[in-house]
Amino acid sequence: MRRVVCPGSFDPVTNGHIDIISRAAQLYDEVVVAVAQNPSKTTLFTAAERVELIREATKRYDNVRVDRFEGLTVDFCRDNDISAIIKGLRAVSDFDYEMQMAQMNYNQAGVETLFMTTNPLYAFLSSSLVKDFAKFGGDVSGLVPANVLERLNSRLAES
Ligand code: PNS
């Protein structure tokens, strides 16, 4: 089975992420969306919540599975029999860091990284910007899945 992992923080998942995941699902037998759980990083949503939000937002794709991990992406790949990582590239500014990480992952574990160019509709989009705009009353509908919009607004209203 040809399997690829799409790793990230997804705090929260955006339409840009969903675009990459759905296009990867057309190329691979299975796409595993791996939510990074980093105890030293403060997030708006817990790892369990981020997983749940992505599951809801991707339920129409039969070959997309969502899981979470702690530690190295390449260890997750080894444990799940995955030989490639897929990443969306928004702009040249993403490239330096992503290339370095891709080369490190290949050097350390022989895991390949494939870069997919982001849909230009979402080239400016990031989870951080979505949170910042939503926090100050910006309208982020159209930038995140409907279930995320609802949870984002209610979470921000609590704080
Ligand atoms: O959505 P993000 O925050 O840009 O995702 C970054 C993520 C989680 C994909 C990246 O930080 C990652 O792969 N973390 C796991 C730790 C790891 O494997 N680091 C090795 C870098 S060479």
Side-chain angles (χ1 to χ4, degrees), residues 145-159:
N147 66 314
V148 173
L149 183 68
E150 196 185 316
R151 291 284 284 280
L152 185 60
N153 288 335
S154 57
R155 177 58 47 90
L156 292 172
E158 286 164 16
S159 50

Side-chain angles (χ1 to χ4, degrees), residues 7-10 36 41 69 71-74 87 97 101 104-105:
S9 302
F10 305 108
K41 203 168 160 183
F69 74 105
L72 296 177
T73 305
V74 291
K87 289 284 192 78
Y97 177 69
M101 181 145 38
M104 184 71 167
N105 286 335

Side-chain angles (χ1 to χ4, degrees), residues 8 27 35-36 40 71 76 90 113 121 128-129 132-133 149-150:
L27 300 174
V35 174
S40 59
F76 181 86
R90 288 168 298 196
T113 299
L121 278 177
S128 307
L129 266 185
D132 285 347
F133 269 73
L149 183 68
E150 196 185 316

Side-chain angles (χ1 to χ4, degrees), residues 51-118:
V51 166
E52 190 197 328
L53 288 170
I54 302 168
R55 281 199 182 127
E56 284 166 16
T58 58
K59 62 178 180 231
R60 63 187 177 281
Y61 306 111
D62 291 341
N63 61 338
V64 172
R65 176 160 73 80
V66 189
D67 204 349
R68 65 176 158 170
F69 74 105
E70 231 182 299
L72 296 177
T73 305
V74 291
D75 288 341
F76 181 86
C77 290
R78 185 201 54 225
D79 295 345
N80 288 275
D81 192 24
I82 296 172
S83 56
I85 297 168
I86 194 156
K87 289 284 192 78
L89 274 190
R90 288 168 298 196
V92 179
S93 51
D94 284 343
F95 189 72
D96 278 351
Y97 177 69
E98 290 296 347
M99 190 169 80
Q100 202 180 358
M101 181 145 38
Q103 290 173 337
M104 184 71 167
N105 286 335
Y106 187 78
N107 173 277
Q108 292 288 302
V111 174
E112 297 284 4
T113 299
L114 308 170
F115 294 116
M116 187 176 261
T117 52
T118 298

Side-chain angles (χ1 to χ4, degrees), residues 7-59:
S9 302
F10 305 108
D11 186 43
V13 69
T14 68
N15 284 347
H17 295 127
I18 300 291
D19 176 64
I20 297 290
I21 294 165
S22 64
R23 287 159 62 204
Q26 291 177 44
L27 300 174
Y28 277 85
D29 297 323
E30 184 174 59
V31 178
V32 183
V33 181
V35 174
Q37 186 176 352
N38 181 349
S40 59
K41 203 168 160 183
T42 306
T43 52
L44 184 63
F45 294 101
T46 66
E49 289 171 330
R50 287 177 272 148
V51 166
E52 190 197 328
L53 288 170
I54 302 168
R55 281 199 182 127
E56 284 166 16
T58 58
K59 62 178 180 231

Side-chain angles (χ1 to χ4, degrees), residues 126-152:
S126 71
S127 299
S128 307
L129 266 185
V130 162
K131 283 182 284 190
D132 285 347
F133 269 73
K135 191 168 156 188
F136 294 106
D139 178 8
V140 296
S141 59
L143 302 181
V144 293
N147 66 314
V148 173
L149 183 68
E150 196 185 316
R151 291 284 284 280
L152 185 60

